Structures are given as C-alpha cells and as structure tokens.
Amino acid sequence: MQAPFLLGLTGGIGSGKSTVSAMLAERGAAVIDADAISRATTAAGGSALPSIAAAFGPQLIGSDGALDRAAMRALVFQDASHRARLEAIVHPLVAQETDRQARQAVAEGRPLIVFDVPLLVESGARWRSRVDRVLVVDCDPGTQIARVQARNGLPREEVERVLQAQATRAERLSAADIVVANGVGVTLHALQQQVRELAMRFGL
C-alpha cells in the first residue's frame, strides 16, 4: 500500500483556511485539525486539565470543568513564561492525538492526510518536519480584517492585534510549497476550482 501524502495546511485568520480544509475533506482527504484537538485537551474532561491544575493551581479550572481561558490569558499577559509552561503540557498531547488520527487515516487507505495547523509557520521546524509539503491559503490583510469583522463582529483594532500576533503574509508565503489564492476578487467558485485541481494532484 502506497504511503499517503502529508500536507500541512495553514493561513492567517480570515484567510479561508477552514473553507479549503472542508473542501479537501469533501473530496476524500483525511483532515486532522490541530486547533480542535488542542481545544479538546482543555475542554471539560480534557486530558491536559490535571497537569494544568497541578502546574498553575486549581483556580485555573472554571466552574464548567474546562480551562478558564480568560484567567490563563491574564496569567500569560503578566508573565510570558507561563505560555511556554502551558504549551509544554498541551503540545505533547496534541502530538499524540494527531499521530493517532494519522495512523487511522493510513489504515483507512487515505491517499492524502491534511494537517490543518493555524500556527504552522510560527511553530518553526516542529510541524514543517512532519509534512511533505506546506499549503498556504493566501489573502491580503484588508480582506482578512473585513471577513473576521463580518463573521465575529469584532472591532477592527482587535482583529489587527490578532494579525500582528501571527506570522506575516510574507513569512507564510516564504514557507509555502503550494499557494491557494483567496484574496480580493476570488469567488467561491474560483476557490473550489483551485482546490479541485489541487486534489486531483493527490489522487482525489
């Protein structure tokens, strides 16, 4: 049985990365969502919670049994070293689950496994070394801001802060092996056509 192709998928907030991910899944790719896995580790009953409570104190676990994200954000804001401590707990658990899902996709005979990783470029070699190619969904910052505002109703300044915390457009493009354009003037039909042609390259 031929080994599947491993594709890292990334893009900035509002780029349409999730739309491209869903389109690839519809065509038969196995999509492993690293962000969803990470959130699950800190949701009620999540595998990261005992270690988080031990490292940061039980007050970081909310009344709903999940990580109190607001309290953790405040803690990280006070001392950036707390982020590294949190990541040291969460990242290995995310890696375990992504590996499990990847093994399952291989067993199912999927020709393409897509690792949907919002901060793939920011993570450096940690993710880049695990995939065969990196696909970037590219979008101009103005369109990103407009989409996020329309979707979430956030003030422009808040969206701009999120963009500033992510890799720049140039950094993502320099890391890309494959680029899907989804900026100004790209219709949903045109995006679908790009994904269709991409999927065909991987036997989907």
Side-chain angles (χ1 to χ4, degrees):
M1 186 170 62
Q2 188 174 356
F5 194 89
L6 308 180
L7 185 66
L9 171 64
T10 195
I13 186 172
S15 65
K17 177 185 63 64
S18 297
T19 301
V20 170
S21 176
M23 288 177 178
L24 287 168
E26 286 171 5
R27 299 192 67 86
V31 175
I32 299 174
D33 187 336
D35 210 28
I37 294 170
S38 179
R39 287 195 302 271
T41 68
T42 58
S47 55
L49 295 179
S51 296
I52 290 172
F56 298 100
Q59 72 276 8
L60 265 294
I61 310 301
S63 58
D64 60 351
L67 173 68
D68 185 335
R69 295 182 181 278
M72 180 58 78
R73 274 195 300 271
L75 205 60
V76 169
F77 184 75
Q78 292 167 13
D79 183 349
S81 68
H82 291 312
R83 180 187 298 278
R85 291 174 65 201
L86 177 64
E87 289 175 348
I89 294 168
V90 173
H91 284 174
L93 297 172
V94 173
Q96 287 173 21
E97 179 59 16
T98 55
D99 287 346
R100 187 196 68 77
Q101 291 188 23
R103 287 194 300 271
Q104 182 178 331
V106 171
E108 291 170 357
R110 302 291 190 99
L112 177 64
I113 301 177
V114 178
F115 295 89
D116 182 341
V117 186
L119 300 180
L120 186 149
V121 174
E122 292 85 340
S123 72
R126 186 168 64 86
W127 270 106
R128 187 65 183 85
S129 61
R130 297 186 62 188
V131 298
D132 298 315
R133 294 287 185 277
V134 171
L135 167 63
V136 168
V137 182
D138 180 51
C139 183
D140 57 284
T143 301
Q144 288 179 262
I145 292 168
R147 284 178 182 158
V148 176
Q149 283 190 282
R151 182 180 70 199
N152 298 350
L154 296 174
R156 183 182 181 91
E157 297 75 24
E158 191 168 335
V159 182
E160 287 176 342
R161 276 199 299 274
V162 174
L163 286 179
Q164 288 163 7
Q166 296 184 341
T168 65
R169 184 184 189 186
E171 287 168 340
R172 273 192 295 271
L173 288 173
S174 69
D177 298 302
I178 307 165
V179 176
V180 168
N182 192 32
V184 174
V186 177
T187 64
L188 184 61
H189 176 74
L191 183 64
Q192 288 171 329
Q193 182 62 30
Q194 289 183 80
V195 174
R196 188 180 303 118
E197 292 172 0
L198 177 67
M200 287 172 66
R201 288 168 56 181
F202 298 112
L204 297 178

